[in-house]
Amino acid sequence: METIQIVGGTPLRGDVRVSGTKNGSLALLAASLLVPGESVIENLPDVSDVGTMIQILRSLGAKCDMVGPRTLRVNAARLSTCEAPEDLVRKMRASFHVAGPLLARLGEARVPRPGGCVIGSRPINYHLQGFGALGAEVSEEHGLVVMRASRLRGGRMFLHPRFRSVGATLNIMMAATLAEGTTVIENASRDPDVVDCARFLVACGAKISGIGGAAMKITGVPRLHGARFAASPDRMEAGTLLLAGAITQGDVTVRGVRVADLLLTLDALRSAASKIQTGRGWIRIQSEGRPKHFDVITAPFPGFPTDLHPLTVVLMSLAQGRSVMEETIFEARFNYVDELSRMGAQIQLKGNTAIVTGVPRLSGASVIAVDLRAGAALGLAGLAAEGETTVGGWEHVRRGYEDLDLKLRSLGAQLTESERPTARLRNVQSG
Ligand code: EPU
């Protein structure tokens, strides 16, 4: 288990640049399987989930070469199998993104069920219903989901309006690009990662309209061609660094961001009495004194992101008065609460709601991260805590944040790690 040690109490100050989006990159990489030729994806973040997705593409027969520090060339001209390897699929939920492209390209996809995870049960019923509506036969054998269709046909489908599933929108959209006829996805996700993936597919020759709207329309084409596309900035990383500024009562400018992707996050930070300034591609947060209490309800984009929930509760834990966090997306998002409570946070759980009574300061403790966002939240709590905090399970954080420890250190955080694995993408060999 990787650990980091933090000595809290230093307000973070300075400028920091965000990396490319983790979730958006995973979608772009999966989408490159639809192209019977070369695609080039730029601005990939150097995180272990991206490394896992590259391994999955290779296991399916795609050639992947790093042609720059953050640029991957994928050649998916010849796919050698429609079956994704279980050991890699089980490492991350997003591996199920390859199902739609494999089904559309090869007429069959065999992908292990990605399984539950620590933030909730995370079923795939919407994905499978979507493939069914496109004419695929779906069955399950020994934990392997088998999807078959000699030719996919366009269809109309309604996703659950409460969730507007990101993953199901991606999978159905990707499969529909090569289907016969037109597909309409009602209650499609408007998430920026879905929008980027749709734009990449359009650059590859797909016909998609309604991108970023409530209903997306995809008219199938016989084949796609390659394109070059850059992943957008990671808005969760940007939100994390801004929250780090607020939590430590510092002055942090985050650069390379898309301000429009973070509007509700900025609203929440303003409610907590942080001063926010924005410009083209940057956001500055200045916080002095204890934050004010504020309330948040998570929702699909453009709502408040569930991925920033645990980090926001750290800020609530330090606010004056009582704040409320209502989680509407993942039932087990609260898995960080016991650990944060060890640091002195006062959090009462009632169903899907956390009632947080702010305390003047948290105290350093030894805590364990069980998932990516929970880990980042505990790290941020350590920055504001009195004394030393040790966060175990930091490998979860490395799944999705590029060098979060180094970036926080560049802002003045006193933070050391027990071991530091060599960078991942920079060492990816050709193949
Ligand atoms: N859902 C179903 N059935 C389905 C699909 C989803 O019931 O077939 C439910 C889920 O259980 C959940 C809700 O719908 O309650 C929303 O799930 P969604 O499909 O939108 O999430 P996802 O695609 O599995 C992506 C991100 C998550 C992010 C969510 C919500 C990736 C790789 N993951 O997951 O990111 O929290 O959207 O925005 O894109 C993270 O980065 O830490 C992370 C968990």
Side-chain angles (χ1 to χ4, degrees), residues 205-282:
K207 290 198 174 139
I208 309 177
S209 59
I211 298 172
M216 195 182 262
K217 190 165 146 190
I218 304 118
T219 302
V221 295
R223 62 190 271 135
L224 299 179
H225 54 74
R228 179 177 273 269
F229 199 84
S232 294
D234 194 310
R235 65 188 196 286
M236 299 311 163
E237 187 197 1
T240 299
L241 293 163
L242 291 168
L243 278 155
I247 286 164
T248 60
Q249 298 179 18
D251 180 352
V252 171
T253 302
V254 180
R255 298 200 180 271
V257 292
R258 241 173 15 198
V259 179
D261 290 351
L262 281 153
L263 295 181
L264 280 204
T265 306
L266 298 184
D267 274 357
L269 289 165
R270 283 193 191 97
S271 317
S274 291
K275 185 175 165 205
I276 304 281
Q277 290 168 274
T278 61
R280 216 181 139 79
W282 60 267

Side-chain angles (χ1 to χ4, degrees), residues 387-423:
E388 189 174 303
T389 296
T390 303
V391 184
W394 195 251
E395 64 277 10
H396 292 294
V397 175
R398 288 191 194 287
R399 285 185 54 188
Y401 288 94
E402 177 173 329
D403 295 335
L404 182 62
D405 41 1
L406 297 186
K407 289 186 184 185
L408 292 173
R409 228 192 279 168
S410 76
L411 296 170
Q414 292 186 50
L415 191 151
T416 52
E417 57 230 293
S418 55
E419 54 172 315
R420 186 174 179 77
T422 46

Side-chain angles (χ1 to χ4, degrees), residues 1-6 118 310 334-343 364-379 381 389-397:
M1 184 162 72
E2 289 177 38
T3 58
I4 59 160
Q5 280 85 36
I6 307 157
V118 291
F334 292 103
N335 62 30
Y336 63 88
V337 166
D338 286 350
E339 297 300 288
L340 196 54
S341 303
R342 287 167 65 84
M343 300 179 70
S366 183
V367 289
I368 306 272
V370 290
D371 81 68
L372 167 62
R373 309 295 170 189
L378 294 170
T389 296
T390 303
V391 184
W394 195 251
E395 64 277 10
H396 292 294
V397 175

